[in-house]
Amino acid sequence: MSTEEVTAKISTMDIADLVFVDEAAGSDESGSGSKSAPYKTPQAAVAHIADQPEDKQEALKIVVKKAGEEEYSPVTPSALKKAKKAHELALKKAKKQAEQEARDKEQDEARQAEEQRKLEESKKVVLTEDSSLPRARLIRIADAKNSRNTRVKVSGWVSRHRVQGKDMMFIVLRDGTGYLQCVLNNRLCHTYDALTLTLESSVTLVGEIKEVPEGKTAPDGHELIVDFWEVVGKAPGGDEAVSNLFDKDSDPSVLLKQRHLVIRGERASSVLKVRSRVMRAFRDHFDSVGYNEVTPPCMVQTQVEGGSTLFSFNYYGEEAYLTQSSQLYLETCLPSMGAVYTMNESYRAEKSNTRRHLSEYTHCEAEIPFITFNDLLDGIEFMVKDVVDRVWAEPETRAMIEKLNPDFKPMTEPFIRMRYEDAIKWLNEHGIKRAEDQQDFEFGDDIPEAPERHMTDTIGKPILLTHFPVPIKAFYMPPTKDDPRVTESVDLLMPTVGEIVGGSMRIWDYDVLMAAYKREGLDPKPYYWYLDQRKYGSCPHGGFGLGIERFLAWMTNSFTVRDCCLYPRFKDVCQP
């Protein structure tokens, strides 16, 4: 039959009796079988006909427009047969799927009913402590090793939870001093609290500390065989369960928002514990070398590191700032207290989102009278090594550091001492270019973080980088006698982190300091009290500042300093 004959035959049919299929432009999902909304496949057309009343099915005919053709043609017998077979298979598959879904629903309902029955039954199980057993001694988890074979009571939070069969349950308890595996058997596992226990619930457990059987493992090699327990504060489950709020792969913004819960994790809590030990070690170090601790104000009306990074606020109608550094105040203490230090917060309003910057950080600063520049370098090196040795000597802290940073070892070799000018040569010799123009570095350039880090990581050892040019350093840093272009200044650079200490000698001559104020465009009047230190018995002196978070990032192999403080503050983040 010719195309003209086919077209003529279709034209004699009632359009209401036609089901249209356009293999190029049709859609099985949105089509209706009309000419304006055709199906894409004959199978969809067959299904359409099957859905019609039986008395109308016989009259309906399928017409098809092939891809590339202009007119519709009646469906061929072979195509119609294939479409009907596919439709029948689809019906069988749908029926089978519906039957399976019905069975699954029935089983799920039965399972839920059984779980509900068990929960209702569990409410009848009431635990009471056996008064015939020895009186339990209240302990912390840290005391568990010395409490083996003793009946104890211990409270904490459910860090991990596992059910084994219907008569055994394991809880890994955390109380801030350690982790303890707890074993619950039989009736202890049948209570309502046991069946609905959630992570981060607080609980109290009573039982006997026993060494784990040979071949088994548990924190510290022992476990609590529980004979009584109770829930103190139940954490939510379902959508509010802590495991649904974040995980180790969550975006950093999510982890920051949930920081109050993140710090419960093993790594985060270990870093914060190491931080506590490190700060104590710094204080012990300074005490051992005869420094006195002072606590300077955080609200000030002077700047130390440049006006662009000052946080300002209204102080009873006057402009004031959050301190960038306590250095100037420390210097005033030298005539009355000798060498001094502080562990104080400092604030920098840098609009920086790098992994080593914070807007608020813990600043360990010291000032020492009657010293030379070499004395200052020796003191910085000794301090860092001594603090590391003190922390390393504590078995518990050392174990945490070794887990956080398996490659960490105390330093025994002398730190490398490199002048700024030699660092410029090193960068140029190793093909490191300035980012802004891809040219070699020149004397006077401020070395950015990335090239500095590359150099430090390549050398792989601590570097005391010294003698920076006058224009790129703070106003109070004195030029050297042998080369007035550079200052008696130092940055301590550590592999993987970069700068963790910045220090210098301080200008102690009144006229030289006044000239520095003029050079920097600073009004000396607000600094009258600082200038007086140069009038009333001045002396050569120097000092330094160390960022505790950067020091911790180096020790614990933390990717960012934000993980090394309790609640990090930086651009756009000031909560929780």
Side-chain angles (χ1 to χ4, degrees):
M1 188 179 291
S2 68
T3 302
E4 290 78 10
E5 290 174 323
V6 169
T7 303
K9 183 177 180 181
I10 291 175
S11 65
T12 62
M13 297 180 181
D14 187 343
I15 195 169
D17 294 334
L18 298 179
V19 182
F20 291 86
V21 174
D22 188 333
E23 294 183 352
S27 170
D28 288 347
E29 289 74 30
S30 61
S32 63
S34 65
K35 192 171 185 179
S36 60
Y39 291 117
K40 187 175 182 65
T41 65
Q43 182 182 338
V46 169
H48 172 89
I49 293 172
D51 287 339
Q52 306 305 311
E54 289 187 13
D55 59 338
K56 291 186 178 181
Q57 291 181 13
E58 192 68 30
L60 294 174
K61 305 297 180 183
I62 301 172
V63 292
V64 180
K65 182 163 66 174
K66 300 284 187 181
E69 294 184 356
E70 295 293 328
E71 301 294 340
Y72 283 94
S73 303
V75 65
T76 65
S78 61
L80 181 60
K81 183 178 179 180
K82 184 178 179 182
K84 287 181 176 180
K85 186 175 182 179
H87 175 61
E88 289 172 0
L89 288 173
L91 289 176
K92 289 179 180 179
K93 184 177 180 181
K95 182 180 179 182
K96 189 175 181 180
Q97 183 176 347
E99 290 172 347
Q100 183 62 49
E101 289 176 353
R103 285 194 297 270
D104 289 345
K105 182 180 180 181
E106 184 179 351
Q107 291 173 359
D108 188 51
E109 289 175 349
R111 183 168 54 252
Q112 290 182 23
E114 177 61 16
E115 289 176 356
Q116 189 60 39
R117 185 193 67 77
K118 287 182 178 179
L119 285 176
E120 292 302 319
E121 285 293 318
S122 70
K123 293 177 182 179
K124 301 175 184 177
V125 180
V126 179
L127 300 179
T128 56
E129 190 170 356
D130 189 344
S131 60
S132 67
L133 294 173
R135 183 181 178 85
R137 181 164 60 89
L138 183 63
I139 67 165
R140 303 174 308 158
I141 291 176
D143 304 321
K145 194 165 187 177
N146 296 326
S147 303
R148 289 180 177 177
N149 303 315
T150 303
R151 190 163 183 265
V152 301
K153 176 189 284 188
V154 60
S155 299
W157 291 263
V158 179
S159 181
R160 293 192 294 277
H161 171 228
R162 177 168 61 91
V163 175
Q164 187 170 306
K166 66 176 183 178
D167 291 323
M168 182 172 284
M169 184 168 75
F170 294 89
I171 293 174
V172 175
L173 193 69
R174 179 190 74 244
D175 73 346
T177 72
Y179 294 83
L180 177 63
Q181 179 169 290
C182 308
V183 184
L184 290 74
N185 290 294
N186 302 321
R187 201 161 179 269
L188 299 176
C189 306
H190 301 162
T191 67
Y192 182 79
D193 282 338
L195 297 183
T196 59
L197 188 62
T198 49
L199 294 179
E200 294 305 325
S201 293
S202 55
V203 296
T204 295
L205 303 105
V206 181
E208 192 172 352
I209 303 283
K210 292 286 188 181
E211 287 190 64
V212 294
E214 189 174 345
K216 303 292 184 180
T217 60
D220 295 323
H222 54 235
E223 57 191 6
L224 179 69
I225 308 302
V226 179
D227 59 58
F228 175 77
W229 76 291
E230 61 183 351
V231 172
V232 178
K234 181 168 286 185
D239 292 340
E240 287 190 279
V242 69
S243 56
N244 287 331
L245 299 180
F246 62 88
D247 59 32
K248 62 182 180 64
D249 298 319
S250 294
D251 187 83
S253 62
V254 174
L255 297 177
L256 284 166
K257 186 176 181 179
Q258 301 295 339
R259 180 69 176 168
H260 58 296
L261 298 175
V262 168
I263 60 176
R264 299 185 182 200
E266 187 171 358
R267 178 176 177 85
S269 63
S270 293
V271 171
L272 292 176
K273 288 176 186 177
V274 172
R275 177 189 172 100
S276 173
R277 310 301 195 278
V278 163
M279 293 185 69
R280 183 176 64 198
F282 271 105
R283 287 189 165 95
D284 289 344
H285 164 78
F286 288 123
D287 186 62
S288 72
V289 293
Y291 290 23
N292 289 299
E293 183 173 9
V294 294
T295 51
C298 286
M299 296 185 290
V300 301
Q301 290 186 306
T302 51
Q303 60 176 294
V304 181
E305 299 294 338
S308 63
T309 64
L310 283 169
F311 281 110
S312 62
F313 64 96
N314 185 309
Y315 186 75
Y316 302 108
E318 295 183 350
E319 186 174 32
Y321 317 105
L322 294 177
T323 183
Q324 299 168 313
S325 166
S326 296
Q327 174 204 321
L328 305 188
Y329 292 96
L330 291 179
E331 290 186 54
T332 68
C333 298
L334 299 182
S336 61
M337 303 177 72
V340 291
Y341 77 97
T342 188
M343 303 281 277
N344 211 1
E345 299 305 291
S346 286
Y347 304 85
R348 303 284 172 89
E350 291 177 278
K351 294 181 179 179
S352 174
N353 277 319
T354 75
R355 58 180 174 148
R356 70 173 194 169
H357 282 94
L358 291 166
S359 297
E360 177 186 44
Y361 66 99
T362 303
H363 209 173
C364 173
E365 299 181 87
E367 291 293 322
I368 314 99
F370 299 106
I371 61 168
T372 66
F373 187 50
N374 281 331
D375 292 334
L376 179 65
L377 300 182
D378 291 341
I380 292 171
E381 180 171 346
F382 173 60
M383 174 193 67
V384 171
K385 288 181 175 179
D386 186 44
V387 167
V388 169
D389 289 343
R390 289 173 184 274
V391 172
W392 200 251
E394 299 178 0
E396 182 185 349
T397 310
R398 175 174 175 172
M400 285 190 288
I401 295 172
E402 287 179 327
K403 192 169 184 178
L404 292 165
N405 188 4
D407 295 329
F408 185 85
K409 293 290 183 296
M411 299 154 294
T412 55
E413 297 181 6
F415 291 178
I416 293 174
R417 300 193 179 189
M418 176 188 290
R419 294 176 72 100
Y420 161 88
E421 194 167 7
D422 293 327
I424 293 293
K425 292 178 182 177
W426 190 98
L427 293 172
N428 291 337
E429 288 170 357
H430 288 78
I432 310 301
K433 305 294 184 180
R434 294 187 304 209
E436 63 271 20
D437 58 9
Q438 293 302 304
Q439 298 298 310
D440 281 351
F441 283 91
E442 297 178 357
F443 185 89
D445 288 339
D446 194 1
I447 303 175
E449 176 188 353
E452 181 185 85
R453 285 277 296 277
H454 178 81
M455 179 182 72
T456 309
D457 291 351
T458 301
I459 294 173
K461 295 180 180 180
I463 301 172
L464 286 163
L465 189 60
T466 65
H467 299 94
F468 291 86
V470 171
I472 64 173
K473 281 299 179 180
F475 72 90
Y476 52 77
M477 297 185 181
T480 62
K481 291 181 180 179
D482 59 336
D483 185 355
R485 299 179 307 158
V486 298
T487 55
E488 290 185 312
S489 54
V490 58
D491 284 351
L492 174 58
L493 312 179
M494 285 295 187
T496 74
V497 176
E499 179 195 345
I500 67 169
V501 177
S504 75
M505 296 299 288
R506 315 308 192 190
I507 295 175
W508 60 285
D509 181 272
Y510 182 92
D511 292 333
V512 176
L513 183 58
M514 287 297 291
Y517 279 122
K518 184 176 181 180
R519 183 186 72 239
E520 297 295 327
L522 291 173
D523 180 2
K525 289 181 181 178
Y527 298 86
Y528 73 93
W529 49 273
Y530 184 64
L531 284 165
D532 277 354
Q533 306 308 309
R534 278 73 184 164
K535 290 170 64 176
Y536 298 95
S538 190
C539 74
H541 62 284
F544 59 84
L546 174 145
I548 293 293
E549 289 80 10
R550 291 189 185 181
F551 186 89
L552 279 164
W554 165 64
M555 284 196 78
T556 63
N557 193 32
S558 296
F559 176 75
T560 171
V561 294
R562 298 170 188 175
D563 294 336
C564 297
C565 55
L566 187 60
Y567 290 103
R569 296 290 183 255
F570 55 95
K571 186 177 178 291
D572 300 326
V573 173
C574 197
Q575 61 172 312

